[in-house]
Each structure stands twice: as structure tokens, then as C-alpha cells.
Short mmCIF file of all heavy atoms in Angstrom, two decimals:
data_model
loop_
_atom_site.label_atom_id
_atom_site.label_comp_id
_atom_site.label_asym_id
_atom_site.label_seq_id
_atom_site.Cartn_x
_atom_site.Cartn_y
_atom_site.Cartn_z
N HIS A 1398 142.32 -42.11 -79.31
CA HIS A 1398 142.11 -43.06 -80.42
C HIS A 1398 140.88 -42.67 -81.24
O HIS A 1398 140.91 -42.75 -82.47
CB HIS A 1398 141.98 -44.47 -79.87
CG HIS A 1398 141.76 -45.50 -80.93
ND1 HIS A 1398 142.76 -45.91 -81.79
CD2 HIS A 1398 140.65 -46.18 -81.29
CE1 HIS A 1398 142.28 -46.80 -82.62
NE2 HIS A 1398 141.00 -46.98 -82.34
N VAL A 1399 139.80 -42.27 -80.57
CA VAL A 1399 138.57 -41.95 -81.30
C VAL A 1399 138.49 -40.49 -81.73
O VAL A 1399 137.69 -40.14 -82.58
CB VAL A 1399 137.30 -42.34 -80.50
CG1 VAL A 1399 137.25 -43.83 -80.27
CG2 VAL A 1399 137.21 -41.58 -79.20
N ALA A 1400 139.32 -39.64 -81.14
CA ALA A 1400 139.35 -38.23 -81.50
C ALA A 1400 140.80 -37.84 -81.78
O ALA A 1400 141.39 -37.01 -81.09
CB ALA A 1400 138.77 -37.39 -80.36
N ALA A 1401 141.35 -38.44 -82.82
CA ALA A 1401 142.78 -38.31 -83.12
C ALA A 1401 143.21 -36.86 -83.36
O ALA A 1401 144.37 -36.52 -83.14
CB ALA A 1401 143.13 -39.17 -84.32
N ASP A 1402 142.29 -36.01 -83.79
CA ASP A 1402 142.66 -34.63 -84.10
C ASP A 1402 142.46 -33.70 -82.91
O ASP A 1402 142.62 -32.49 -83.04
CB ASP A 1402 141.86 -34.13 -85.29
CG ASP A 1402 140.36 -34.17 -85.04
OD1 ASP A 1402 139.91 -34.96 -84.19
OD2 ASP A 1402 139.64 -33.40 -85.70
N ALA A 1403 142.15 -34.23 -81.73
CA ALA A 1403 141.88 -33.41 -80.55
C ALA A 1403 143.09 -33.35 -79.62
O ALA A 1403 143.96 -34.22 -79.65
CB ALA A 1403 140.69 -33.97 -79.79
N GLU A 1404 143.13 -32.30 -78.81
CA GLU A 1404 144.10 -32.19 -77.73
C GLU A 1404 143.44 -32.76 -76.49
O GLU A 1404 142.46 -32.20 -75.99
CB GLU A 1404 144.45 -30.72 -77.49
CG GLU A 1404 145.34 -30.48 -76.29
CD GLU A 1404 145.49 -29.00 -75.98
OE1 GLU A 1404 145.67 -28.21 -76.92
OE2 GLU A 1404 145.42 -28.66 -74.78
N VAL A 1405 143.93 -33.89 -76.01
CA VAL A 1405 143.35 -34.56 -74.85
C VAL A 1405 144.30 -34.35 -73.67
O VAL A 1405 145.48 -34.64 -73.77
CB VAL A 1405 143.15 -36.07 -75.11
CG1 VAL A 1405 142.55 -36.75 -73.89
CG2 VAL A 1405 142.27 -36.29 -76.34
N ARG A 1406 143.74 -33.84 -72.56
CA ARG A 1406 144.58 -33.57 -71.39
C ARG A 1406 143.90 -34.10 -70.13
O ARG A 1406 142.72 -33.83 -69.90
CB ARG A 1406 144.80 -32.08 -71.24
CG ARG A 1406 145.74 -31.74 -70.09
CD ARG A 1406 145.93 -30.25 -69.92
NE ARG A 1406 146.54 -29.66 -71.10
CZ ARG A 1406 146.83 -28.37 -71.21
NH1 ARG A 1406 146.55 -27.55 -70.22
NH2 ARG A 1406 147.38 -27.91 -72.31
N ILE A 1407 144.66 -34.85 -69.35
CA ILE A 1407 144.21 -35.26 -68.02
C ILE A 1407 144.49 -34.08 -67.11
O ILE A 1407 145.64 -33.63 -67.01
CB ILE A 1407 144.97 -36.52 -67.54
CG1 ILE A 1407 144.71 -37.69 -68.48
CG2 ILE A 1407 144.57 -36.87 -66.11
CD1 ILE A 1407 145.62 -38.89 -68.24
N THR A 1408 143.44 -33.56 -66.45
CA THR A 1408 143.64 -32.31 -65.72
C THR A 1408 142.66 -32.13 -64.57
O THR A 1408 141.56 -32.67 -64.59
CB THR A 1408 143.51 -31.11 -66.68
OG1 THR A 1408 143.83 -29.91 -65.99
CG2 THR A 1408 142.11 -31.00 -67.27
N ASP A 1409 143.10 -31.34 -63.59
CA ASP A 1409 142.20 -30.84 -62.56
C ASP A 1409 142.24 -29.31 -62.54
O ASP A 1409 141.80 -28.68 -61.60
CB ASP A 1409 142.55 -31.42 -61.18
CG ASP A 1409 143.90 -30.99 -60.65
OD1 ASP A 1409 144.67 -30.33 -61.39
OD2 ASP A 1409 144.21 -31.32 -59.50
N ASP A 1410 142.75 -28.74 -63.64
CA ASP A 1410 142.84 -27.29 -63.79
C ASP A 1410 141.47 -26.74 -64.18
O ASP A 1410 140.97 -27.01 -65.27
CB ASP A 1410 143.88 -26.96 -64.86
CG ASP A 1410 144.05 -25.47 -65.07
OD1 ASP A 1410 143.06 -24.78 -65.35
OD2 ASP A 1410 145.20 -25.00 -64.96
N HIS A 1411 140.87 -25.96 -63.28
CA HIS A 1411 139.53 -25.45 -63.49
C HIS A 1411 139.42 -24.61 -64.76
O HIS A 1411 138.41 -24.72 -65.48
CB HIS A 1411 139.10 -24.60 -62.29
CG HIS A 1411 138.96 -25.40 -61.03
ND1 HIS A 1411 137.90 -25.27 -60.19
CD2 HIS A 1411 139.75 -26.35 -60.47
CE1 HIS A 1411 138.04 -26.09 -59.17
NE2 HIS A 1411 139.16 -26.76 -59.32
N LYS A 1412 140.42 -23.80 -65.06
CA LYS A 1412 140.37 -22.96 -66.25
C LYS A 1412 140.40 -23.80 -67.53
O LYS A 1412 139.69 -23.50 -68.48
CB LYS A 1412 141.53 -21.96 -66.24
CG LYS A 1412 141.36 -20.87 -65.22
CD LYS A 1412 142.51 -19.89 -65.26
CE LYS A 1412 142.32 -18.83 -64.18
NZ LYS A 1412 143.42 -17.88 -64.17
N TYR A 1413 141.23 -24.84 -67.54
CA TYR A 1413 141.29 -25.70 -68.73
C TYR A 1413 139.95 -26.43 -68.91
O TYR A 1413 139.44 -26.54 -70.02
CB TYR A 1413 142.43 -26.72 -68.63
CG TYR A 1413 142.62 -27.47 -69.93
CD1 TYR A 1413 143.43 -26.95 -70.93
CD2 TYR A 1413 141.95 -28.66 -70.18
CE1 TYR A 1413 143.58 -27.62 -72.13
CE2 TYR A 1413 142.09 -29.33 -71.38
CZ TYR A 1413 142.92 -28.80 -72.35
OH TYR A 1413 143.05 -29.45 -73.55
N ILE A 1414 139.40 -26.92 -67.80
CA ILE A 1414 138.11 -27.63 -67.87
C ILE A 1414 137.03 -26.71 -68.41
O ILE A 1414 136.26 -27.09 -69.29
CB ILE A 1414 137.73 -28.20 -66.49
CG1 ILE A 1414 138.72 -29.30 -66.08
CG2 ILE A 1414 136.30 -28.75 -66.49
CD1 ILE A 1414 138.66 -29.70 -64.62
N ALA A 1415 136.98 -25.47 -67.92
CA ALA A 1415 135.97 -24.51 -68.37
C ALA A 1415 136.14 -24.16 -69.85
O ALA A 1415 135.15 -23.93 -70.55
CB ALA A 1415 136.03 -23.25 -67.52
N ALA A 1416 137.38 -24.15 -70.33
CA ALA A 1416 137.65 -23.79 -71.72
C ALA A 1416 137.54 -24.98 -72.68
O ALA A 1416 137.55 -24.79 -73.89
CB ALA A 1416 139.05 -23.18 -71.83
N ALA A 1417 137.43 -26.18 -72.14
CA ALA A 1417 137.42 -27.38 -72.98
C ALA A 1417 136.12 -27.46 -73.80
O ALA A 1417 135.06 -27.01 -73.37
CB ALA A 1417 137.55 -28.63 -72.11
N ASP A 1418 136.25 -28.04 -74.99
CA ASP A 1418 135.08 -28.28 -75.82
C ASP A 1418 134.27 -29.46 -75.32
O ASP A 1418 133.05 -29.51 -75.46
CB ASP A 1418 135.52 -28.55 -77.27
CG ASP A 1418 136.25 -27.36 -77.86
OD1 ASP A 1418 135.63 -26.30 -77.99
OD2 ASP A 1418 137.45 -27.51 -78.15
N ARG A 1419 134.98 -30.41 -74.73
CA ARG A 1419 134.36 -31.61 -74.18
C ARG A 1419 135.05 -31.97 -72.87
O ARG A 1419 136.24 -31.71 -72.70
CB ARG A 1419 134.51 -32.79 -75.13
CG ARG A 1419 134.02 -32.51 -76.54
CD ARG A 1419 133.04 -33.54 -76.99
NE ARG A 1419 132.70 -33.38 -78.37
CZ ARG A 1419 131.63 -32.71 -78.80
NH1 ARG A 1419 130.84 -32.15 -77.95
NH2 ARG A 1419 131.35 -32.61 -80.08
N VAL A 1420 134.28 -32.56 -71.96
CA VAL A 1420 134.82 -32.99 -70.68
C VAL A 1420 134.44 -34.45 -70.47
O VAL A 1420 133.27 -34.82 -70.62
CB VAL A 1420 134.27 -32.14 -69.51
CG1 VAL A 1420 134.80 -32.63 -68.18
CG2 VAL A 1420 134.62 -30.67 -69.71
N VAL A 1421 135.43 -35.27 -70.16
CA VAL A 1421 135.21 -36.68 -69.89
C VAL A 1421 135.31 -36.88 -68.38
O VAL A 1421 136.30 -36.49 -67.76
CB VAL A 1421 136.25 -37.58 -70.62
CG1 VAL A 1421 136.05 -39.04 -70.26
CG2 VAL A 1421 136.15 -37.36 -72.12
N PHE A 1422 134.27 -37.47 -67.83
CA PHE A 1422 134.16 -37.71 -66.40
C PHE A 1422 134.24 -39.22 -66.21
O PHE A 1422 133.23 -39.93 -66.22
CB PHE A 1422 132.83 -37.13 -65.94
CG PHE A 1422 132.48 -37.34 -64.50
CD1 PHE A 1422 133.38 -37.79 -63.57
CD2 PHE A 1422 131.19 -37.06 -64.09
CE1 PHE A 1422 133.01 -37.96 -62.26
CE2 PHE A 1422 130.81 -37.23 -62.78
CZ PHE A 1422 131.72 -37.69 -61.86
N PRO A 1423 135.48 -39.77 -66.11
CA PRO A 1423 135.63 -41.22 -66.04
C PRO A 1423 135.15 -41.78 -64.70
O PRO A 1423 135.26 -41.13 -63.67
CB PRO A 1423 137.13 -41.44 -66.21
CG PRO A 1423 137.76 -40.16 -65.83
CD PRO A 1423 136.76 -39.09 -66.07
N GLY A 1424 134.58 -42.96 -64.76
CA GLY A 1424 134.12 -43.63 -63.55
C GLY A 1424 134.10 -45.13 -63.75
O GLY A 1424 134.05 -45.61 -64.87
#
């Protein structure tokens, strides 16, 4: 909703996380 132009992925893939521009750590 706040980053409508972004690709948002729920993931535990280490390579995707490392390549991401931003990482959300929900808690």
C-alpha cells in the first residue's frame, strides 16, 4: 500500500533477501 511501485515478497530465501533493496523484519 505504501510502496505501490515495489515488488514485495514474503520470503526466507537468503539470496532474495541479500538482493533486496529493503528488508522488513515484522514483529
Side-chain angles (χ1 to χ4, degrees):
H1398 180 73
V1399 297
D1402 60 336
E1404 173 188 317
V1405 180
R1406 183 181 298 181
I1407 299 169
T1408 186
D1409 65 354
D1410 181 304
H1411 294 225
K1412 288 181 182 179
Y1413 188 87
I1414 294 166
D1418 299 296
R1419 307 233 187 265
V1420 178
V1421 177
F1422 176 13

